[in-house]
Amino acid sequence: MRKHPGLSRRDLLKGTSAVLAGTAFSTRVMAAAPPAEPVTPTLIEAAKKEGQVVYYTSTDLPVAEKLAKAFEAKYAGMTVRVERTGAERVFQRVGQEYSSNIHAVDVVNSSDAAHFIVWKRDGILAPYVPEEVAKYYPDEHRDPDGQFASFRVWLSIIAYNTNLVKAEEAPKSFADLLDPKWKGKIVKGHPGYSGTIMTATYQMQRDLGWSFFEQLAKQNIMQVQSSTDPPKKLDLGERAVMADGNEYNIFQLKEMGRPVEPVYATEGSPIIVGPNGIFKDCPHPNAARLFQSFALGREGQQLNVEIGGLRSVHAQAQEKAGRKPLKDIKTMKDDPDAVEREGESIKSHYTRIFRV
């Protein structure tokens, strides 16, 4: 959700970039990714001497805290300070701190991958490639200069309430949502508030065209804000179908026995990526590297899957039983550069169509 209505997301990105350009951290050095680094006894010893990792993240707090506890259990004597808030607030906080020459954060996660484009452009991320990232991550999920990699992945999906919709009558595609029988029965999120829905809207308008949204707007949808809201409305039976929203919330609800069922549109489901990166001038550089290796390694990634209902691109991470494997799902292509570039026009166009 955007917390500062007087300041657009695009303005925030531009403004923070301009502020950072006036600091000593703005030099843009582009080079090939450094060699992959294994976790060694030397790294562990150096990390334990520092003792702490400061982690700014937009990951759900229970998931982030479980990741921190698992890391602390593996590396006795280490502590992780989790600072959890929304992605836009994470971004603003980093900008404010660095403009004041404050270097408090070690590792950062954001659900808005466009933030990493800005941080990289301003030269404040540290190149670091964990061994498992080099071995097990697809090229498209790791920065070519080694400055960040995909920590968590999820989809924006269609879903339905199984008490209100029979499986054989449920929509199978985005096109199916335009059937008159769904009029007044659909809920969806808003790209002006949710980074997930912004990313999904970009991908959908690119692949389906704005004409899809123009027709969807005639269906008298329930418009909500966050991408976590449509699953909640579905669970409560306030709407029969959701046009978008977090897949991981649907997983969590379904696995608690709630009456929801995911649908993977035949046209492809929008994919959302939340990277992790280390800051160049972080206070605990060795601890940051150790934590990054853990978070992006199999243990951290499996925790994301099991506890968070998230997806992992780590080749050795195992999907949870009962969930459709990501490899079997047709997805749309993520493009953070385009989202950062076109975000404001997407929100304006959407608002005109839906009048919200």
Side-chain angles (χ1 to χ4, degrees):
M1 179 181 293
R2 202 173 85 209
K3 302 293 185 181
H4 305 280
L7 184 64
S8 74
R9 177 179 179 281
R10 181 70 169 164
D11 289 340
L12 185 58
L13 289 168
K14 282 183 174 179
T16 304
S17 179
V19 167
L20 293 173
T23 73
F25 313 103
S26 63
T27 304
R28 187 167 180 261
V29 179
M30 300 296 293
E37 295 188 35
V39 172
T40 63
T42 301
L43 176 63
I44 295 171
E45 182 181 358
K48 287 186 175 183
K49 284 181 180 178
E50 294 169 353
Q52 183 184 54
V53 180
V54 180
Y55 186 39
Y56 290 4
T57 181
S58 59
T59 306
D60 287 356
L61 185 58
V63 180
E65 288 182 335
K66 284 184 173 64
L67 180 75
K69 293 300 181 186
F71 176 78
E72 292 169 352
K74 182 167 184 174
Y75 299 106
M78 295 293 303
T79 60
V80 181
R81 197 176 89 216
V82 175
E83 299 279 351
R84 194 275 165 193
T85 189
E88 297 301 332
R89 284 191 170 183
V90 168
F91 185 76
Q92 185 182 51
R93 180 174 180 178
V94 169
Q96 290 172 339
E97 289 179 352
Y98 267 68
S99 68
S100 300
N101 207 29
I102 296 170
H103 308 131
V105 58
D106 295 303
V107 182
V108 68
N109 164 262
S110 175
S111 58
D112 190 338
H115 294 163
F116 288 83
I117 295 171
V118 176
W119 289 326
K120 179 179 177 179
R121 185 170 66 218
D122 289 307
I124 62 172
L125 294 176
Y128 177 69
V129 181
E131 186 175 50
E132 289 192 52
V133 169
K135 284 185 176 181
Y136 302 118
Y137 277 54
D139 288 345
E140 64 269 25
H141 284 281
R142 46 193 177 108
D143 173 53
D145 298 299
Q147 296 188 17
F148 52 88
S150 299
F151 167 65
R152 56 191 178 114
V153 177
W154 63 104
L155 303 175
S156 176
I157 62 169
I158 298 171
Y160 63 94
N161 181 301
T162 57
N163 289 338
L164 301 176
V165 181
K166 295 179 181 178
E168 61 270 20
E169 297 176 356
K172 303 296 189 295
S173 65
F174 289 115
D176 287 348
L177 297 177
L178 307 180
D179 190 310
K181 73 179 181 181
W182 300 122
K183 192 165 187 176
K185 298 180 180 179
I186 299 173
V187 59
K188 77 177 302 297
H190 196 296
Y193 294 92
S194 166
T196 294
I197 303 302
M198 164 62 81
T199 299
T201 301
Y202 167 76
Q203 294 176 34
M204 291 169 68
Q205 61 81 30
R206 178 196 62 202
D207 294 0
L208 307 178
W210 280 112
S211 60
F212 166 75
F213 290 100
E214 290 165 358
Q215 295 176 73
L216 186 65
K218 298 175 183 176
Q219 291 288 66
N220 294 344
I221 67 164
M222 174 189 283
Q223 181 70 68
V224 292
Q225 295 181 353
S226 171
S227 62
T228 65
D229 291 336
K232 294 173 185 175
K233 298 297 184 183
L234 212 61
D235 177 37
L236 293 171
E238 293 184 25
R239 283 295 185 274
V241 175
M242 73 179 203
D244 57 24
N246 280 325
E247 177 194 44
Y248 60 80
N249 292 126
I250 293 296
F251 281 156
Q252 291 166 346
L253 288 167
K254 183 179 178 180
E255 290 163 11
M256 289 190 297
R258 303 303 301 166
V260 298
E261 186 69 27
V263 172
Y264 301 101
T266 56
E267 300 96 337
S269 297
I271 189 166
I272 320 297
V273 176
N276 256 27
I278 298 172
F279 283 105
K280 186 182 293 182
D281 290 284
C282 65
H284 313 103
N286 295 294
R289 285 163 172 75
L290 186 62
F291 182 76
Q292 180 80 327
S293 291
F294 180 80
L296 296 174
R298 184 177 179 179
E299 288 179 71
Q301 290 298 292
Q302 197 63 48
L303 188 148
N304 270 358
V305 172
E306 298 290 337
I307 304 298
L310 295 158
R311 304 289 188 163
S312 174
V313 298
H314 191 301
Q316 291 193 330
Q318 300 294 311
E319 300 273 9
K320 190 171 182 179
R323 299 175 187 170
K324 188 171 183 177
L326 182 61
K327 66 180 177 60
D328 296 338
I329 299 171
K330 181 180 179 181
T331 61
M332 295 180 177
K333 183 174 175 55
D334 189 25
D335 190 344
D337 290 277
V339 174
E340 191 260 337
R341 188 173 60 247
E342 301 178 27
E344 287 306 308
S345 65
I346 289 170
K347 284 187 287 190
S348 296
H349 202 148
Y350 185 95
T351 299
R352 287 197 301 272
I353 291 173
F354 287 91
R355 301 178 186 274
V356 290

